[in-house]
Amino acid sequence: TACTSTGVNVTTIGVDRDAPTIAFSGGLASNARLNGGAGVGAEFQVTVSDTGTVGNSGMNSSSAVVGTVLRRNAAASATCVVGTVPAGGGCNPVSVNATPPFPLVPTTTIAAQTTTGYYSYSAVAQDAAGNQSGSVSRVIAYDPAANVPALTTALFNTPLTGPTAVFNANASDNFDLWTAVYTLTYGGGLPGPVLLPTVTLNTFNVAPLVNSNVAAGITVDGFMRQVEAVTGNAPLATGGTFKPTQLDGVARDQANNPSATATTPIPGASVTTGVSYTAAAAPQLVDSWAITAPSAATNISNGAGPAAAVNPLSVTITADVFGPTLTFNPPFARVDFYRVVGGQLVLIGTATTPTTTDNGAANGRRHRYSISWTPGATVATGVQTIHAIGVNSAGDALVSAANGNITITNP
């Protein structure tokens, strides 16, 4: 017979099949480098929530997040810092939110973990019905600030000459080396030392760790054996020629601890003497060398925000070299454009192929070198000091006067 509900004592049963969510929401960023403070504590933080509209069971209050933290360093295989170690070894997840202040659930490791190493976190969220989210993971590197790497002074063969120079050095560390950064100082002609390209010794959290007597020198492609700065144009005048005098290097480990500066003197006799641009044969004698664009005050944005940029994000920088009509060939193998940052010359772009015009005047042949520069969010606001340095195949460099027409803004 038909069965009709009376509308009383009706029970609805919900089934929760929807997994909860988990996402990082605090603590250190991925691949962070920690070298100070009390050690590794609550660096991994996540936010969790349950999902679903029918039978939503809510988060498991006693173990809303379960996970592990493993430590890896040069002394041993991976150590289970957070988790349980079964008889056969390994690291099993445990609850990492004993008293969770929902929705933020911080992961806390053993207080004041001051042992050097990579700390790898992996965790999932789970609701009261036993559904689990996908896993999230993050790694940080920790090494106390006192544990600095060591970098030797460099050795090099003589004579040093263009277009390539090789400097050999070694670095060591208690943990894992990251980079070596070098600057090359000249006796004059430049507003400061030239920052050379960073040498990468090892990448973050990659086996094997690199720390013992590691080759950490640098090969300088496009080595400038001498520089001379323009002091006047039409006709060209310079302040003399100058050779490099020293190479300074700093090594860093994966926790961003720097070594002491290793200074390698470069005696003048160890560098081949170049040829001044003012002493070139008449058909190749430079008449003028200068940055010609931008020729007036120009604002560009670094795009750092949060407000939308009100100025262009890029600018074209142009340098012109003039010489005798018909005979004047391009005097440079390349032109490097540098900006002055903290007293150092930092490369922003290189041009190798000029455009050439000739108006038939006595010094009317022009070779134009241009780059497009997009400074990016890491470039600080303010007036920029830009130099163009033309370098021939032998390593003789001609430095333009400074151009200060570019101002970085935000927005």
Side-chain angles (χ1 to χ4, degrees):
T1 59
C3 183
T4 302
S5 170
T6 63
V8 296
N9 297 326
V10 176
T11 300
T12 299
I13 299 175
V15 178
D16 186 353
R17 293 194 178 98
D18 295 309
T21 62
I22 182 172
F24 286 105
S25 56
L28 295 180
S30 182
N31 291 5
R33 307 174 193 276
L34 184 63
N35 59 15
V40 179
E43 276 67 39
F44 306 105
Q45 296 178 10
V46 295
T47 296
V48 298
S49 63
D50 201 11
T51 60
T53 57
V54 177
N56 190 313
S57 59
M59 299 305 299
N60 188 330
S61 61
S62 63
S63 54
V65 182
V66 293
T68 61
V69 175
L70 296 172
R71 181 179 62 235
R72 185 174 70 90
N73 56 30
S77 58
T79 300
C80 185
V81 177
V82 173
T84 59
V85 180
C91 192
N92 290 338
V94 295
S95 172
V96 292
N97 66 295
T99 52
F102 287 111
L104 183 66
V105 183
T107 291
T108 56
T109 67
I110 300 172
Q113 280 287 305
T114 57
T115 301
T116 297
Y118 290 106
Y119 286 78
S120 301
Y121 170 82
S122 179
V124 299
Q126 57 186 15
D127 62 20
N131 297 305
Q132 286 191 343
S133 69
S135 64
V136 293
S137 60
R138 183 162 286 181
V139 183
I140 65 170
Y142 175 77
D143 193 19
N147 291 341
V148 299
L151 180 65
T152 67
T153 56
L155 300 175
F156 55 89
N157 294 326
T158 59
L160 290 171
T161 190
T164 301
V166 178
F167 298 90
N168 295 301
N170 292 318
S172 297
D173 186 52
N174 68 304
F175 176 34
D176 190 21
L177 289 164
W178 180 21
T179 61
V181 176
Y182 289 93
T183 59
L184 197 56
T185 299
Y186 287 77
L190 295 173
V194 177
L195 180 65
L196 300 174
T198 298
V199 177
T200 299
L201 305 177
N202 200 21
T203 52
F204 191 90
N205 196 32
V206 172
L209 304 186
V210 171
N211 50 42
S212 180
N213 202 32
V214 177
I218 186 169
T219 297
V220 183
D221 294 319
F223 175 71
M224 296 185 297
R225 65 182 183 182
Q226 74 175 28
V227 300
E228 58 183 319
V230 172
T231 57
N233 279 315
L236 179 73
T238 68
T241 60
F242 301 93
K243 295 180 179 182
T245 58
Q246 68 186 54
L247 179 77
D248 293 305
V250 173
R252 290 184 178 272
D253 67 16
Q254 295 288 354
N256 206 25
N257 290 314
S259 71
T261 300
T263 298
T264 301
I266 303 176
S270 66
V271 183
T272 301
T273 299
V275 178
S276 170
Y277 283 87
T278 61
Q284 276 298 110
L285 188 63
V286 173
D287 185 58
S288 67
W289 170 232
I291 295 178
T292 55
S295 58
T298 301
N299 292 338
I300 60 173
S301 175
N302 60 12
V310 297
N311 293 311
L313 299 178
S314 300
V315 62
T316 297
I317 306 175
T318 297
D320 291 334
V321 59
F322 283 87
T325 185
L326 299 177
T327 64
F328 185 57
N329 295 320
F332 309 129
R334 75 181 196 281
V335 173
D336 295 327
F337 292 83
Y338 291 88
R339 69 187 187 104
V340 181
V341 183
Q344 296 181 341
L345 286 167
V346 177
L347 184 68
I348 61 173
T350 296
T352 56
T353 304
T355 59
T356 302
T357 60
D358 195 331
N359 63 14
N363 286 291
R365 175 162 286 194
R366 182 194 70 192
H367 303 294
R368 171 164 288 179
Y369 299 82
S370 297
I371 64 165
S372 178
W373 180 41
T374 303
T378 60
V379 176
T381 59
V383 176
Q384 305 296 300
T385 300
I386 310 293
H387 291 269
I389 303 180
V391 188
N392 65 21
S393 58
D396 303 324
L398 188 62
V399 185
S400 77
N403 178 287
N405 291 332
I406 299 172
T407 297
I408 305 297
T409 67
N410 180 23

